[in-house]
Amino acid sequence: MKKEELMRRAIALSVNSVKNGGGPFGAVIAKDGEIIAEGSNCVTVDNDPTAHAEVSAIRKACRQLHTFDLSGCEIYTSCEPCPMCLGAIYWAHLDKIYYANDRKDAGRIGFDDDFIYKEFELAPQERQKPAETLLRTEALEAFRQWQEKEDRTEY
């Protein structure tokens, strides 16, 4: 399939998502022009704040390909990914992101992710959701064990 066809599929998923009670977002993951997985926003349908279209598509693609590494695949999403989805795309090692609407378009209809991008620039204790370090020394034990584990799977 051509890039435009894959994007049209992501857009169609976003329209269908609205009709089915979800948010207006859809995503397609493709490899060599073939669809591997699709996802739509199911946050309100599944009562899951992480059920964004991109994350849903990544989860399905990983199951389909039996891997956590989606190198060689591309994602087509009806809107510029939010910070959570962008992070998931990087962790999944997708090769390229194509998007239709941008985050300003999303902000105009109430999906304003810009505040999260701004939060990343602040020190943890200055963010709207303050953070503090707790029991770091104890937690380092798992890191030590990971570092010493010879048969670990890097990701």
Side-chain angles (χ1 to χ4, degrees):
M1 296 177 86
K2 293 182 180 180
K3 291 188 285 189
E4 292 80 8
E5 292 173 286
L6 294 164
M7 183 58 76
R8 284 188 184 102
R9 179 62 188 151
I11 293 167
L13 289 165
S14 72
V15 171
N16 287 336
S17 182
V18 173
K19 291 177 183 174
N20 294 321
F25 305 98
V28 169
I29 294 177
K31 185 171 187 166
D32 301 322
E34 297 296 319
I35 294 175
I36 303 299
E38 301 178 336
S40 61
N41 182 287
C42 296
V43 169
T44 57
V45 174
D46 294 345
N47 293 315
D48 179 353
T50 69
H52 289 201
E54 298 91 336
V55 171
S56 297
I58 288 168
R59 289 173 179 162
K60 290 175 185 174
C62 289
R63 281 194 300 270
Q64 175 70 22
L65 297 176
H66 306 286
T67 184
F68 54 81
D69 185 342
L70 297 178
S71 297
C73 297
E74 301 172 329
I75 189 164
Y76 297 78
T77 180
S78 64
C79 187
E80 182 178 359
C82 75
M84 176 185 69
C85 292
L86 186 59
I89 289 166
Y90 274 87
W91 282 118
H93 304 286
L94 288 155
D95 290 356
K96 190 164 184 178
I97 304 164
Y98 295 93
Y99 62 89
N101 297 318
D102 65 25
R103 64 184 182 196
K104 291 178 183 160
D105 296 322
R108 283 191 282 278
I109 63 164
F111 293 94
D112 190 0
D113 301 329
D114 199 46
F115 80 95
I116 299 173
Y117 285 100
K118 290 176 182 173
E119 287 281 290
F120 289 143
E121 297 172 10
L122 300 174
Q125 65 275 11
E126 295 175 6
R127 295 177 183 160
Q128 289 181 28
K129 305 276 186 215
E132 69 177 86
T133 305
L134 187 63
L135 300 177
R136 178 176 175 266
T137 304
E138 291 178 33
L140 284 171
E141 177 59 22
F143 282 12
R144 185 192 62 73
Q145 289 181 21
W146 172 260
Q147 198 169 23
E148 292 174 359
K149 186 175 173 67
E150 292 182 18
D151 63 341
R152 69 180 180 254
T153 302
E154 300 283 346
Y155 59 96

